[in-house]
Amino acid sequence: MSFGGHSDPAQQRPGARPSPPPAMPYQSPPPAVSSAPAPQYVQPQAYPQSLSSPAAPVYGSVLAQRADHQDSVAYGTYMPPAPQIAVPALPVPSAKGRHASVWAFGVLGFALLGLIAYFVWALGPAASVIGMLLALVPLTIVFFGVFFIDRWEPEPKSLVAFAIAWGAIASVGIALLVDLGLTLLVGQRTGDLSAVLQAPIVEESAKGLGVFLVFLMARRAFDGPIDGIVYGALVGAGFAFTENIQYFAVSLIEGGTSDLTFTFVLRGLMSPFAHAMFTSVTGFAMGLAARRGASAGRAAGYGAIGLVGAMTLHALWNGSSMIGNFFVLYLVLQVPLFVGFIIAIILLRKEESRLTFARLSDYATAGWFTPQEVGMLATPTGRRVGLRWAASLRGDRRPIMRGFIKDATTLATVRQRIITGRDPLAAQDEQALLLRTHAARDALLAV
């Protein structure tokens, strides 16, 4: 896959930046000398006495009273040192174009009320609650899987929440409305037709729309295929959560505990990643478009191609439950597909590491990092070694090292956006991140 960029990294160096620090090895800076004045004390003084007022210090509150004072002794007042000059806060990259819209959450909130009313009306409150509790199990499994994929460069929390909410609320709502509309137009359809044709087309289109909305709302947080897979998997996980509530509740109502157990094992334990895997194909395609700096129109075109793949996988999955022995097809077809999906994720993670290494090497050429630092920041092994080293420093400086790694990784993605020319705020973010990484290095090397 091609990631773009010029052959000469020097042509893409930032035009204006703070002076680069010297390459390692570094000289540890001398300990800072405090400029705060020493505490001063006022000599005790005698307080006037009278019949109604004993000799004692005057306190503004009973809670400020000294426990060891004597009535006949006046104590001095402690004068705290003058405040030191505050260190200016480090700049942060712009948050514009990196978060979900508040209005989007508001619309989803209203839709959620309607969805809750539907479940209570159709399934009853008790069965709905039991279904929801059981549906949390596969959702948790998928979430931890996505968290593992997203560790290299975590996505903003608001976008993670929006992706799950869109899948759980909007996608399900769209699917229900389309199903109701088709029923009114053409009447009842056979279960096989709905499962193999209607469900893949309608559900994957609704979920793919959520991934595309993330692209539109937070273009600056949608950097490549891994990001697309993460957003697609989260949307799919949200959809599966709400769909599982319905399946589990219906199984409990119609077949009791035995049917519920069978359905839970089949959907919750054997195939928790199914919907996440389908929609991640759509997200992967949009991520490729994002990596190439595509416009919204071109990203929609890429997404449409990915959507065909998602529909195909979805139809194949649903069809395997109707053709032959499901468990045999599960072992010979679905398991290999899932293994292939994991292998693809691993290869994409390696590509992300390679790209981070290449972009940080551009800054090493300009003098911002040493080659050793690039290896520490841009490889999984280097990060583990760096964190162990930071833990051995005075005061355990792993939090500083984690911030250093995070800012350097973000800097690499900003550099890629500069190369593709798709982010007008990238130069501003670059300056902020260069200052932050420089400060983190100084903090790690301080005495």
Side-chain angles (χ1 to χ4, degrees), residues 98-100 105 154-163 231 234 406:
R98 291 186 55 83
H99 295 283
F105 282 109
E155 305 308 315
K157 292 181 176 58
S158 68
L159 295 178
V160 170
F162 173 80
Y231 293 130
L234 290 172
K406 178 182 177 182

Side-chain angles (χ1 to χ4, degrees), residues 21-26 356-357 360-361 363-364 367-379 382-383 386 389 401 404-405 408 437-438 440-442 444-445:
M24 291 185 72
Y26 305 103
T356 302
F357 190 95
L360 291 183
S361 295
Y363 292 104
W368 283 102
F369 301 106
T370 66
Q372 293 79 9
E373 286 175 326
V374 172
M376 180 188 71
L377 296 167
T379 63
R383 290 180 173 188
W389 171 71
M401 177 60 76
F404 190 23
I405 292 171
T437 53
H438 189 188
R441 176 202 286 143
D442 290 345
L444 286 168
L445 296 172

Side-chain angles (χ1 to χ4, degrees), residues 247-248 251 255-270 326-327:
Y247 273 96
F248 296 157
S251 296
T257 306
S258 59
D259 267 18
L260 174 60
T261 302
F262 178 79
T263 304
F264 175 75
V265 172
L266 191 67
R267 295 185 62 87
L269 301 181
M270 292 182 62
F326 169 78
F327 293 100

Side-chain angles (χ1 to χ4, degrees), residues 200-201 204-208 281-282 285 302-312:
I201 293 175
E204 292 308 321
S205 297
K207 291 186 289 180
V281 176
T282 305
Y302 274 76
I305 297 173
L307 186 60
V308 173
M311 292 175 181
T312 302

